[in-house]
Amino acid sequence: MDHILQLIEQAIAEDLGDGDHTSLATIPEDARGKMKLLVKEDGIIAGVEIAKLVFQKIDPEISMEVLIKDGAPIQKGDIVFYVSGRCRSMLIAERTMLNYLQRMSGIATTTKSYTKLLEGTKAHLLDTRKTTPNMRVFEKMAVVIGGGMNHRMGLYDMVMIKDNHVDFAGGIKQAIEAEHAYLERIGKKLKIELEVRNFDELNQAMAAGGIHRIMLDNFTPAAIKKAVEIIGGKYETEASGGINLENIREYALTGVDFISVGAITHHIKSLDLSLKAM
C-alpha cells in the first residue's frame, strides 16, 4: 500500500506543480459542490478504489458515494460514484483520478474479452511485464479485476530464463545449472520458468529438468498440443507469442495451463469516463 500511495503522490505532483492556477483564480476558496463519474462507453469498471485514494490524498474531507464497484460491467450513461466537497479539491484530483480509472478500466475490459474466450478450458490468462513505467501495479491490478492473472511483478519475484539468457549462457542446461547455483548462493527460493523456441529446445529442457514451468514461445496451436503431450504434466505449460482474440480459443483448447498476452496491458484503449459537476 505504501508503494501505491507513493506513486499516487508522484502522479499528483506531476500534474499539480505549484498550483492549479485556473481553479485558484475562478473558484472561491470556500466553494463546495458535488460531481459524478459518468460512463460514456460500455465496459468493465476498474480503479474505483484507486480513485478513492487520489481524492483522499488531495483532500481528506472529500466524501465519495460508490454506486458501482470494481469489476462490475458498466454501460454508457451509468453513474459509478458521486463525490462532494471543496470544488477546488475535486478539480485538482479530476485528471489524475481519471487517468487511473480510464486506463485501468480499459485494461479490465480488454482482459474480460480474453478471459471469456477461455471459459470451459483449463487455461488461465496471464499478463506480462509489458506495462507503462510507474503504472505496473495499477495495470496488473486491472488485469485481476478483469478476470486475468498476474505473471511475475518484475525481475525479482520469479526466474524467467528466456532466449537471450540461454544464448549468452551457452545453452539450456548451462543456464538452468547457473540459475540453481545462483539461487543457492543468495539463499532465495524462486520458481523457474524456461522459454523454449522449438522442439529441440523442449527436449533439452525435459532432459535438464530443474524447472517449474515451460513457456512455449511462438508455437502454433498444433505444436502446443504436441508439446503439452510431451511434457505430460511434469511441468506447468505456458503459451506465448502471437496470441490474440481471434486465436486464443484455439490455443486454450490445446490443454496448455497458461496463456500470456502482452496486449492486455500495452495495446489497449482507455475507457471513456468523465467527471461532471452537478
Side-chain angles (χ1 to χ4, degrees):
M1 178 59 75
D2 287 345
H3 176 56
I4 290 175
L5 291 175
Q6 288 173 3
L7 290 171
I8 288 173
E9 288 175 357
Q10 291 170 11
I12 292 170
E14 175 185 61
D15 195 39
L16 184 58
D18 67 350
D20 176 5
H21 300 301
T22 308
S23 296
L24 289 171
T26 60
I27 299 173
E29 184 178 0
D30 60 352
R32 302 182 70 87
K34 186 174 184 179
M35 305 185 80
K36 62 184 177 183
L37 185 76
L38 181 65
V39 176
K40 302 174 75 175
E41 184 178 6
D42 295 357
I44 301 295
I45 192 68
V48 174
E49 294 303 311
I50 299 302
K52 282 184 184 179
L53 295 177
V54 174
F55 283 122
Q56 289 169 8
K57 272 291 178 185
I58 294 292
D59 185 346
E61 293 186 14
I62 291 177
S63 64
M64 187 170 171
E65 179 189 356
V66 177
L67 305 180
I68 304 176
K69 295 182 178 180
D70 283 331
I74 50 175
Q75 294 182 319
K76 183 178 180 180
D78 284 346
I79 297 173
V80 178
F81 59 72
Y82 296 107
V83 285
S84 56
R86 296 183 181 89
C87 296
R88 285 182 180 179
S89 297
M90 291 188 292
L91 292 177
I92 288 171
E94 177 184 6
R95 178 44 52 197
T96 298
M97 179 274 302
L98 282 174
N99 284 346
Y100 284 124
L101 265 174
Q102 290 180 300
R103 182 154 186 83
M104 289 180 68
S105 296
I107 289 171
T109 300
T110 300
T111 300
K112 182 62 73 174
S113 297
Y114 277 89
T115 57
K116 282 182 178 179
L117 295 172
L118 301 184
E119 291 176 358
T121 74
K122 65 179 291 190
H124 298 282
L125 180 70
L126 295 178
D127 55 22
T128 70
R129 286 169 47 240
K130 295 177 181 178
T131 55
T132 309
N134 293 328
M135 279 288 291
R136 180 171 296 175
V137 65
F138 305 105
E139 293 178 350
K140 283 182 170 280
M141 190 182 300
V143 167
V144 174
I145 291 171
M149 294 175 64
N150 295 150
H151 198 273
R152 54 181 182 164
M153 284 300 294
L155 296 170
Y156 56 87
D157 58 338
M158 182 178 179
V159 171
M160 171 81 82
I161 302 175
K162 301 193 74 175
D163 53 356
N164 287 330
H165 300 104
V166 169
D167 292 342
F168 282 136
I172 285 175
K173 185 173 183 292
Q174 295 91 325
I176 294 173
E177 289 177 347
E179 188 61 54
H180 278 284
Y182 169 78
L183 290 175
E184 184 175 355
R185 188 166 67 249
I186 66 171
K188 275 189 173 293
K189 292 184 178 181
L190 298 175
K191 285 191 173 183
I192 298 175
E193 180 168 5
L194 173 72
E195 175 187 86
V196 299
R197 294 166 282 190
N198 49 55
F199 283 100
D200 178 53
E201 289 190 345
L202 175 58
N203 291 330
Q204 291 179 51
M206 296 298 290
I211 53 181
H212 299 90
R213 185 184 301 171
I214 295 177
M215 175 193 282
L216 304 156
D217 187 46
N218 285 304
F219 279 53
T220 65
I224 292 280
K225 185 175 181 179
K226 180 180 177 182
V228 168
E229 291 173 355
I230 291 171
I231 295 166
K234 189 174 182 180
Y235 307 115
E236 294 177 342
T237 56
E238 178 181 335
S240 181
I243 301 173
N244 52 47
L245 286 169
E246 285 68 43
N247 61 21
I248 191 170
R249 180 74 182 179
E250 188 178 1
Y251 276 93
L253 291 171
T254 64
V256 71
D257 297 311
F258 301 99
I259 301 176
S260 54
V261 180
I264 60 175
T265 53
H266 81 83
H267 194 63
I268 62 100
K269 182 178 77 69
S270 293
L271 209 65
D272 196 0
L273 306 167
S274 183
L275 191 67
K276 292 295 186 182
M278 297 177 64

